[in-house]
Amino acid sequence: MWAGRVLHAALSRAPRGSRAQSALAQLRGILEEELESIRGAGTWKSERVITSCQGPHIHVDGAPGGIINFCANNYLGLSSHPEVIQAGLQNLKEFGAGLSSVRFICGTQSIHKDLEAKIARFHQREDAILYPSCFDANAGLFEALLTSEDAVLSDELNHASIIDGIRLCKAHKYRYRHLDMADLEAKLQEAQKHRLRLVATDGAFSMDGDIAPLQKICRLASQYGALVFVDESHATGFLGPTGRGTDELLGVMDQVTIINSTLGKALGGASGGYTTGPGALVSLLRQRARPYLFSNSLPPAAVGCASKALDLLMESNAIIQSMAAKTLRFRSQMEAAGFTISGANHPICPVMLGDARLALNIADDMLKRGIFVIGFSYPVVPKGKARIRVQISAVHSEEDIDRCVEAFVEVGRLHGALP
Ligand code: PLP
């Protein structure tokens, strides 16, 4: 609508019959055709407008009353934690709204250096570098690190930002089947001719809630002289006994070379991303990574929120344990009710339904019962594997979880997903 109005206004300002007017008319035709093809393919993404803070209970435009939110990456509930908000406010007051600069010109404040040191300490790595987002961290890493002499081996279901980051680099690209270690080994054998080999994987995959077999990946990497890179966006802060991530969960913290992760999910949910790993790599990224060199510094409020989130995690495991207990409660009750939940004890709990229409209808009916969940179908997930993704947070109450399960059972029976 908005784009249409802008184009219309631009068209009406261009002199009649001018070449600019016909170019705009042509653009309008192309855009409308493209938009229609998205609608026709059934892949149109509409956005629900939240009118409250992010949290377990939210208000959504058009839905009467409060609803229970099961589709945010707010795994630890820190997005609206009072101490996290306070830390953001404090930085806003003390360090301003933003830097109006990239880091290497005049955009580095003491708080940026402190947060980088804290991130490196949290992950037990030598150094860390902040980016405006983890998308940017993934866009910056591969191009800066790998040349046409090198190779990157990537899980086929890696996040879009890893795929895009890899596209930007000149290294030889190998794609192995999802979690398939025999295929990874075959690709590693093929890649022996290159200078460096980097295996790249998500730690936890967001569509299935499944976890990369890092022990096996690290074993193969060591056997074939490869480095290991893990995107921990869906693991940092809550996987492993102290929330360090998948590498801690699987006991390979000393074998994963490079970690990228986000501040935009469990760590307060504001925004920001980072790479942590060898000091020399971080130094190289400060010189070469384009999203670092050519994009604004992270705003002080976001730095304050993430920094406080890390403090809270380093002080106590209580939030992590609470999230794990609630995840178990949801998964076990749903399985007992007859649903299939994919993944491995991850707070991403995909309720597998198969049929796209069924997933859509169940998600709609759940919202009518005050439960906000999202259905995913092809092409986001493979054909015939439609599901509703439920995400558990430490700040859901046990009653929230039970209400969600009850609603699933009721709606599932209504639609024939349960006997
Ligand atoms: N990597 C993974 C695995 C993600 O799921 C996401 C976000 O969806 C990102 C990277 C991007 O993170 P950010 O929102 O910080 O750009």
Side-chain angles (χ1 to χ4, degrees):
M1 273 301 279
W2 182 83
R5 277 205 296 275
V6 171
L7 267 178
H8 183 75
L11 272 172
S12 49
R13 275 199 305 276
R16 270 183 173 279
S18 70
R19 294 190 67 189
Q21 196 180 31
S22 67
L24 280 168
Q26 184 190 18
L27 172 63
R28 183 174 201 152
I30 292 169
L31 293 179
E32 276 169 4
E33 202 178 305
E34 193 63 28
L35 293 173
E36 207 34 60
S37 83
I38 299 174
R39 281 192 201 95
T43 55
W44 188 266
K45 293 174 242 0
S46 38
E47 298 172 10
R48 291 191 197 280
V49 178
I50 300 173
T51 55
S52 60
C53 261
Q54 184 60 280
H57 300 152
I58 55 174
H59 288 270
V60 173
D61 234 5
I67 58 177
I68 313 178
N69 180 15
F70 283 96
C71 42
N73 303 307
N74 184 20
Y75 298 111
L76 299 173
L78 298 180
S79 301
S80 43
H81 190 289
E83 287 184 53
V84 171
I85 294 173
Q86 189 49 42
L89 284 173
Q90 184 58 35
N91 269 9
L92 187 62
K93 277 193 197 143
E94 209 173 313
F95 293 92
L99 272 299
S100 308
S101 175
V102 298
R103 289 284 299 273
F104 80 95
I105 297 184
C106 65
T108 300
Q109 291 171 315
S110 51
I111 50 173
H112 295 96
K113 298 307 287 178
D114 292 346
L115 179 56
E116 286 170 342
K118 199 176 281 183
I119 288 169
R121 201 161 66 247
F122 180 76
H123 284 285
Q124 297 170 27
R125 298 309 202 271
E126 287 172 21
D127 203 354
I129 172 174
L130 286 170
Y131 286 88
S133 69
C134 184
F135 203 109
D136 286 323
N138 286 337
L141 176 74
F142 301 97
E143 190 192 16
L145 174 64
L146 302 174
T147 71
S148 56
E149 289 181 70
D150 305 317
V152 56
L153 303 96
S154 171
D155 186 295
E156 65 180 345
L157 293 192
N158 275 343
H159 187 259
S161 56
I162 303 176
I163 295 170
D164 284 6
I166 289 174
R167 273 194 196 133
L168 290 171
C169 81
K170 293 200 173 72
H172 295 262
K173 295 154 184 111
Y174 296 83
R175 208 162 64 128
Y176 62 92
R177 284 192 294 276
H178 182 49
L179 308 184
D180 185 333
M181 293 300 100
D183 198 29
L184 173 60
E185 181 162 17
K187 301 280 168 17
L188 277 166
Q189 283 166 353
E190 257 185 79
Q192 287 304 294
K193 52 188 178 267
H194 306 297
R195 184 186 67 166
L196 288 178
R197 285 154 293 283
L198 179 66
V199 180
T201 181
D202 276 13
F205 291 82
S206 62
M207 281 301 137
D208 289 296
D210 50 355
I211 288 171
L214 285 188
Q215 288 165 333
K216 290 182 187 148
I217 289 176
C218 290
R219 206 172 306 130
L220 285 173
S222 150
Q223 190 177 340
Y224 291 96
L227 304 164
V228 178
F229 158 84
V230 184
D231 179 327
E232 287 283 71
S233 294
H234 290 280
T236 299
F238 56 94
L239 284 192
T242 63
R244 266 48 177 182
T246 319
D247 59 349
E248 185 192 31
L249 179 74
L250 298 176
V252 290
M253 282 185 86
D254 56 342
Q255 294 167 59
V256 171
T257 325
I258 308 165
I259 286 176
N260 277 6
S261 193
T262 184
L263 306 175
K265 300 191 196 299
L267 298 183
S271 70
Y274 58 86
T275 296
T276 185
L281 169 70
V282 169
S283 298
L284 181 78
L285 292 173
R286 290 193 203 282
Q287 303 305 313
R288 292 255 179 86
R290 293 168 70 82
Y292 180 81
L293 289 169
F294 301 113
S295 191
N296 206 11
S297 305
L298 208 56
V303 172
C305 292
S307 182
K308 177 53 76 176
L310 285 168
D311 289 343
L312 292 173
L313 287 175
M314 289 195 269
E315 274 162 25
S316 154
N317 294 339
I319 315 176
I320 301 167
Q321 284 164 359
S322 162
M323 189 216 67
K326 283 159 193 164
T327 299
L328 187 63
R329 187 178 184 96
F330 179 79
R331 282 179 170 270
S332 54
Q333 287 190 29
M334 287 290 283
E335 279 167 357
F339 284 105
T340 302
I341 313 296
S342 141
N345 286 339
H346 194 281
I348 292 173
C349 305
V351 181
M352 303 306 287
L353 295 163
D355 181 66
R357 178 63 49 194
L358 178 66
L360 199 75
N361 290 342
I362 291 186
D364 283 349
D365 278 1
M366 292 289 285
L367 189 61
K368 286 181 197 144
R369 284 159 181 77
I371 310 279
F372 190 14
V373 287
I374 296 276
F376 289 96
S377 55
Y378 181 81
V380 180
V381 295
K383 265 196 182 128
K385 294 211 166 168
R387 79 267 325 250
I388 290 177
R389 188 174 72 173
V390 174
Q391 286 172 286
I392 304 297
S393 170
V395 283
H396 284 128
S397 65
E398 290 185 348
E399 195 198 336
D400 293 336
I401 305 279
D402 297 350
R403 272 190 58 193
C404 183
V405 174
E406 278 159 26
F408 261 114
V409 170
E410 192 188 324
V411 175
R413 286 202 183 116
L414 203 68
H415 289 278
L418 285 183

